């Protein structure tokens, strides 16, 4: 007994000493961070006098914001090397004072920090020990040491710290996870960004954590990417609110977050539509249909007759055809028109110059005859001194005069009206509306549609639905801007957000299994380099499309040119709940094994059978009990769509969502209403799989008789 007590006291003493040691380091790092932040703030207070200084201040402001946000969790790790070196890992990189300051704190994104996430006892990567440092503000509250000398074979990196983090109460906002990233997550975060990377991960495997930390890593490792910004696409506005604090907390400001529905700033989704129509309009056939439709709107070559300063000039059909072919050459509709107009101005200027030259030639020939007769009678008149033939006045316009003439033509309103009438400005909204409501046009440009499908499309009510946004985006791209937009805003993200045609340095997509083929086309237009990371779970797909594998989902856009990765470990959902998912996945037609849960909550899922009449009261009572058990945490309710209104009328202090709306969210406890009703919805078994896996601790189900 005394021996055990002595061992316990010794371990406690060592733990207190370790906390004191890390507190001393945290104090030093915090003081250094504060001094740097104060210095940057002082520099930012000075007025920027020129463009170079303003650019420098933008960079300094980003550095300042990164330091300011690093107050919480500044230091979270330490690596002790086999060679005796000690490196602390944190949210930002810091150096000691002085011009040649030594590294004080290693940025978690730096290569030197990678062993903190990837080293194991089997592969220590030159490390003797890894230490996780837990802090609350500026106070160290705990440490977890993990020897890496070969005496341990834990599969998870920093298991104690990870499980402690997972057992924390949920707050409704996503937190950063840079102190507990696992090896398979870190491998994906630091993967090359040279092509599409598709990451399959089941519930609770950290897909969103991986996606967002990959953004932070790429912006750190590839500084030029920040000049183009990174686009983060999420499934819903609620989800974007959930993750809103993560990237700023990681110090990244060159990021635009959006849903597919909000990528066109001037268009708002105003109505719902049937799953049938959503599936039809999500097919890749529309890309070709829209391309051919816009091509059909290009003017056909013909002779053009233009009026200039009272005279008519003819541009031959052959010259018009050549100018058209040169102007189009893969350009969008309006840019091709602008290119053609420039050539037309040149052709007209040349026609005017040639007609003037011909007129002068005619006048000169007649004048020479008159002069010849006149000279014969006056050949002795000394006033002329020589015979004048008029050859010194040839009537030709100089290159400079022709250019001046072309400029006048380009500014002429009559010529502009002629071009507009012959090659009119088009709007994507009117063009799409005309196409979708015209059965003849649909038959011509989308012959793959069955007659009943074309009839369903053409009978749509007014207003735009979600599936119309990718079609409008495709048309806007094919038409091109009438005038190039003017960049606005201080940060690159502000400028990118305002411009539909902005080309991003990288795109990260969460819940990517929900994207239709036309939505994938939207992504590709914004990142033609194909530097794309997409994370999702194909087994959680609830969208109207029929894809059941990633190959089917991305074939139309990427073909076979994409890389697959997989997250296999479930950190969120307890083992007791994950055990329920096998039969559900099989009924959903899944080809994947469910992820392996690594933790147990010790709470078995429970069921309560009730009648529909008892639903509201039973749900309210169950929610109260869950809130009492998980005080300080969160409770969520998931139900079939036709039960939501009834439940919202009774439950005002908890989120009440459909399975689709709950995607990507998590709570300490989930109350699942009528699971069989969810399974009966379209792609319902996939939806039930989502609903079952939203909790981190406890799952309760109300079964309806």
């Amino acid at each position: 007994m005394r021996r055990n007590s002595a061992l316990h006291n010794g371990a406690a003493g060592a733990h207190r000493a370790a906390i004191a040691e890390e507190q001393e380091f945290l104090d030093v790092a915090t003081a250094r961070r504060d001094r740097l932040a104060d210095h940057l703030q002082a520099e930012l207070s000075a007025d920027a006098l020129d463009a170079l200084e303003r650019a420098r201040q933008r960079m300094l402001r980003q550095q300042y914001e990164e330091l300011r946000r690093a107050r919480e969790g500044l230091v979270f790790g330490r690596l002790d090397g086999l060679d005796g070196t000690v490196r602390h890992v944190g949210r930002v990189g810091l150096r000691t004072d002085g011009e040649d300051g030594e590294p004080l704190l290693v940025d978690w994104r730096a290569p030197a920090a990678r062993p903190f996430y990837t080293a194991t006892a089997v592969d220590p990567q030159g490390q003797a020990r890894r230490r996780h440092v837990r802090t609350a503000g500026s106070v160290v509250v705990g440490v977890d040491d993990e020897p890496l000398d070969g005496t341990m074979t834990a599969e998870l990196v920093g298991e104690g710290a990870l499980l402690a983090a997972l057992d924390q109460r949920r707050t409704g906002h996503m937190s950063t996870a840079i102190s507990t990233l696992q090896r398979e997550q870190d491998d994906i975060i630091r993967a090359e960004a040279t092509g599409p990377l598709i990451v399959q991960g089941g519930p609770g495997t950290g897909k969103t954590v991986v996606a967002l930390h990959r953004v932070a890593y790429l912006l750190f490792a590839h500084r030029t990417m920040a000049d183009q910004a990174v686009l983060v696409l999420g499934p819903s506005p609620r989800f974007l609110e959930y993750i809103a604090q993560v990237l700023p907390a990681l110090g990244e400001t060159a990021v635009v977050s959006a849903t597919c529905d909000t990528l066109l700033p001037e268009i708002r989704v105003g109505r719902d539509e049937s799953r049938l129509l959503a599936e039809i309009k999500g097919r890749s056939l529309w890309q070709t249909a829209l391309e051919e439709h816009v091509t059909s709107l290009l003017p056909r070559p013909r002779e053009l007759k233009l009026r200039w300063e009272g005279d008519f000039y003819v541009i031959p059909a052959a010259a018009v055809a050549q100018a058209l072919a040169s102007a189009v050459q893969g350009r969008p509709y309006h840019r091709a028109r602008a290119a053609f107009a420039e050539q037309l101005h040149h052709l007209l200027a040349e026609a005017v110059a040639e007609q003037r030259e011909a007129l002068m030639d005619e006048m000169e020939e007649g004048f020479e005859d008159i002069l010849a007769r006149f000279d014969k009678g006056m050949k002795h008149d000394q006033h002329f001194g020589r015979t004048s033939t008029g050859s010194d006045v040839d009537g030709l316009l100089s290159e400079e005069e022709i250019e001046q003439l072309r400029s006048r033509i380009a500014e002429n309103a009559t010529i502009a009206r002629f071009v507009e009438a012959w090659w009119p400005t088009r709007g994507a909204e009117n063009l799409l509306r005309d196409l979708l409501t015209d059965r003849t046009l649909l038959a011509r440009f989308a012959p793959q549609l069955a007659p009943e499908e074309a009839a369903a499309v053409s009978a749509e009510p007014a207003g735009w639905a979600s599936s119309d946004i990718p079609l409008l985006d495709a048309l806007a791209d094919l038409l091109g801007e009438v005038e190039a937009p003017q960049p606005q805003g201080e940060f690159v993200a502000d400028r990118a957000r305002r411009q539909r045609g902005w080309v991003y340095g990288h795109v990260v997509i969460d819940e990517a299994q929900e994207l239709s083929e036309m939505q994938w086309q939207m992504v590709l237009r914004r990142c033609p380099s194909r530097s794309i990371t997409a994370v999702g779970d194909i087994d959680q797909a609830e969208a109207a499309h029929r894809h059941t594998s990633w190959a089917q989902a991305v074939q139309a856009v990427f073909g076979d040119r994409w890389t697959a990765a997989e997250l296999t470990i479930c950190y969120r959902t307890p083992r007791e709940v994950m055990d329920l998912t096998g039969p559900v996945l099989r009924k959903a037609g899944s080809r994947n094994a469910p992820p392996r849960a690594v933790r147990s909550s010790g709470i078995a899922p429970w069921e309560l059978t009730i009648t529909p009449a008892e639903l509201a009261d039973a749900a309210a009572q169950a929610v109260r009990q869950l809130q009492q058990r998980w005080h300080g945490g969160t409770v969520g309710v998931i139900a079939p769509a036709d039960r939501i209104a009834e439940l919202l009328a009774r439950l005002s202090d908890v989120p009440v969502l459909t399975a689709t709306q709950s995607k990507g969210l998590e709570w300490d406890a989930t109350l699942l209403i009528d699971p069989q009703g969810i399974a009966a919805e379209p792609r319902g078994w996939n939806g039930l799989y989502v609903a079952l896996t939203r909790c981190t601790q406890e799952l309760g189900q109300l079964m309806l008789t």
Side-chain angles (χ1 to χ4, degrees):
M1 188 76 174
R2 289 179 193 163
R3 178 182 174 85
N4 289 338
S5 177
L7 288 172
H8 175 74
N9 291 336
H15 190 253
R16 286 194 297 271
I19 289 178
E21 181 183 19
E22 298 307 330
Q23 183 66 59
E24 182 179 355
F25 179 83
L26 178 60
D27 292 342
V28 171
T30 300
R32 178 60 177 153
R33 185 209 70 84
D34 291 345
R35 286 195 299 275
L36 286 172
D38 290 344
H39 175 72
L40 288 172
Q41 192 172 35
E43 288 206 41
L44 288 168
S45 64
D47 292 333
L49 301 178
D50 55 30
L52 184 62
E53 183 62 24
R54 287 194 295 272
R56 179 175 177 273
Q57 287 219 345
R58 282 196 296 270
M59 180 187 70
L60 294 178
R61 186 173 300 282
Q62 289 175 354
Q63 293 175 353
Y64 171 74
E65 288 297 320
E66 190 171 62
L67 288 172
R68 185 181 65 81
R69 294 186 180 108
R71 285 195 184 98
E72 187 69 32
L74 176 62
V75 180
F76 55 76
R78 167 173 156 170
L79 285 169
D80 292 12
L82 292 169
D83 59 1
T85 59
V86 174
R87 284 175 291 173
H88 280 84
V89 180
R91 217 175 217 187
V92 296
L94 296 174
R95 287 184 171 273
T96 56
D97 287 317
E99 292 183 4
D100 300 321
E102 295 295 320
L104 177 67
L105 183 64
V106 178
D107 191 300
W108 71 273
R109 295 160 290 192
R114 189 168 194 199
F116 184 77
Y117 304 107
T118 59
T120 66
V122 176
D123 178 22
Q125 300 175 30
Q127 308 304 314
R129 182 180 66 178
R130 171 178 31 241
R131 170 175 287 177
H132 287 265
V133 181
R134 300 196 301 278
T135 61
S138 59
V139 178
V140 176
V141 297
V143 297
D144 289 303
D145 281 344
E146 184 183 0
L148 298 171
D149 57 4
T151 60
M152 297 180 64
T153 58
E155 294 181 14
L156 299 181
V157 172
E159 183 173 331
L162 172 65
L163 297 184
L166 292 173
D167 284 333
Q168 291 178 350
R169 293 289 192 268
R170 265 45 195 172
T171 64
H173 295 281
M174 191 174 191
S175 61
T176 62
I178 48 179
S179 63
T180 56
L181 290 172
Q182 300 300 297
R183 177 161 193 156
E184 68 175 12
Q185 296 173 325
D186 191 73
D187 286 344
I188 292 169
I189 288 170
R190 298 174 193 264
E192 291 296 322
T194 54
L197 177 65
I198 311 295
V199 182
Q200 163 64 27
T205 54
K207 297 184 294 296
T208 301
V209 165
V210 166
L212 298 179
H213 287 75
R214 179 157 170 77
V215 171
Y217 168 74
L218 289 175
L219 287 170
F220 175 84
H222 305 279
R223 293 298 186 181
T224 56
M225 204 174 276
D227 297 333
Q228 297 175 271
V230 171
L231 173 64
V232 177
L233 280 180
S236 66
R238 179 184 287 269
F239 175 81
L240 295 181
E241 292 172 8
Y242 180 59
I243 68 169
Q245 299 304 313
V246 177
L247 283 168
L250 295 174
E252 304 308 342
T253 56
V255 178
V256 174
S257 60
T259 68
C260 286
D261 285 356
T262 62
L263 279 178
L264 294 182
E266 70 280 7
I267 303 295
R268 292 290 178 268
V269 172
R271 63 176 177 83
D272 295 326
E273 65 183 341
S274 69
R275 290 178 65 85
L276 170 64
L277 283 173
E279 189 278 322
I280 292 172
K281 290 194 292 185
R283 298 175 193 171
S284 60
L285 66 88
W286 290 99
Q287 185 65 36
T288 301
L290 295 172
E291 289 172 1
E292 293 179 352
H293 184 31
V294 171
T295 299
S296 74
L297 300 174
L298 296 173
R300 296 295 178 261
R302 65 175 176 83
E303 181 181 276
L304 299 181
K305 190 175 183 180
L306 301 168
R307 185 181 181 88
W308 177 253
E309 295 185 343
D311 293 321
F312 285 98
Y313 299 88
V314 174
I315 310 298
V320 173
Q322 185 176 1
L324 270 172
S326 175
V328 174
Q329 286 190 355
R331 290 186 178 95
Y333 177 92
H334 291 123
R335 284 179 56 193
R337 187 184 72 163
F340 175 81
E342 287 186 11
Q343 295 191 54
L344 184 63
H345 300 154
H346 182 70
L347 289 170
L348 179 56
E350 287 187 337
V352 172
E354 289 172 1
Q355 187 160 313
R356 173 173 175 163
E357 180 182 352
L359 180 61
M360 291 298 293
D361 286 344
E362 291 177 7
M363 291 176 62
E364 187 172 277
E365 288 177 5
F367 190 52
E368 285 177 349
D369 290 342
I370 295 172
L371 283 178
R373 292 193 297 272
F374 185 74
D375 285 344
K376 186 175 181 180
M378 302 290 294
K379 60 181 178 180
H380 299 297
D381 191 336
Q382 295 300 315
H383 175 71
F384 290 93
R386 61 181 177 86
T387 301
S388 175
T389 64
S391 60
D392 56 323
V393 183
D394 58 14
L396 291 176
L397 293 178
S398 67
E399 290 294 333
E400 182 179 355
E401 289 172 324
I402 292 177
E403 181 58 28
Q404 290 173 351
L405 175 60
R406 191 206 62 77
S407 297
R408 289 172 53 214
I409 290 171
E411 295 169 359
N412 185 268
T414 302
I415 300 299
R417 285 194 295 271
F418 175 88
V419 173
E420 173 65 27
W422 190 62
W423 194 328
T425 300
R426 308 279 185 177
E429 293 185 67
N430 289 336
L431 206 57
L432 182 60
R433 193 174 289 111
D434 291 344
L435 173 63
L436 296 182
T437 56
D438 190 322
R439 294 283 295 277
T440 302
L441 289 178
L442 285 174
R444 177 181 174 189
F445 296 112
Q448 304 95 320
L449 295 179
E452 62 273 16
E453 292 175 332
V457 169
S458 62
E460 282 192 288
W464 299 120
S466 180
S467 66
D468 292 314
I469 301 301
L471 306 186
L472 286 167
D473 186 65
L475 273 175
D477 186 68
L478 291 166
L479 292 174
E481 304 289 347
V482 177
E483 294 182 1
Q486 296 299 314
Q488 302 177 41
E490 181 181 8
F491 293 111
V492 64
D494 297 323
R495 300 198 301 272
R497 203 174 280 113
R498 289 179 172 90
Q499 298 185 46
R500 185 208 63 80
W502 187 272
V503 174
Y504 289 89
H506 193 81
V507 177
V508 171
I509 312 164
D510 200 13
E511 302 293 348
Q513 74 278 356
E514 303 301 336
L515 268 62
S516 69
E517 291 173 337
M518 287 303 294
Q519 286 172 327
W520 278 109
Q521 293 282 0
M522 290 180 78
V523 173
L524 185 60
R525 276 190 288 277
R526 283 158 178 78
C527 193
S529 68
R530 303 190 177 203
S531 182
I532 297 167
T533 301
V535 303
D537 182 1
I538 203 71
D539 293 323
Q540 294 187 57
E542 294 187 71
H545 59 67
R546 301 168 183 172
H547 307 140
T548 58
S549 71
W550 285 113
Q552 292 175 336
V554 302
Q555 176 71 32
V557 177
F558 300 138
D560 297 327
R561 298 173 58 190
W562 55 281
T563 302
E566 188 173 6
L567 295 167
T568 62
I569 301 172
C570 175
Y571 307 103
R572 177 186 66 212
T573 310
R575 191 176 298 115
E576 293 86 349
V577 175
M578 286 305 296
D579 287 344
L580 302 177
T581 62
V584 175
L585 276 180
R586 286 192 291 273
K587 291 177 180 177
S590 172
R591 307 177 189 182
N592 301 307
R596 179 169 56 88
V598 296
R599 55 184 283 272
S600 170
S601 67
I603 305 172
W606 53 267
E607 297 179 3
L608 177 64
T609 300
I610 58 173
T611 66
E614 298 171 317
L615 175 59
D617 289 339
Q621 182 177 357
V623 166
R624 283 195 300 271
Q625 293 172 347
L626 290 172
Q627 288 175 323
Q628 290 170 0
R629 283 199 290 275
W630 300 103
H631 180 69
T634 57
V635 176
V637 178
I638 304 176
D642 59 3
R643 301 284 182 186
I644 296 295
E646 175 187 2
L647 292 166
L648 282 173
R650 188 65 183 273
L651 305 174
S652 59
D653 58 345
V654 292
V656 180
L657 307 172
T658 65
T660 299
Q661 292 168 335
S662 73
K663 193 181 300 293
L665 305 180
E666 62 181 46
W667 304 284
D668 292 282
T670 300
L671 180 64
L672 182 55
I673 307 292
D674 188 14
Q676 289 301 318
I678 292 176
E681 294 176 329
R683 296 194 83 157
W685 291 108
N686 301 84
L688 183 56
Y689 180 53
V690 172
L692 285 170
T693 53
R694 296 305 96 196
C695 71
T696 65
Q697 304 293 344
E698 181 176 356
L699 172 67
Q701 301 184 74
L702 297 185
M703 320 294 285
L704 298 187
T705 57

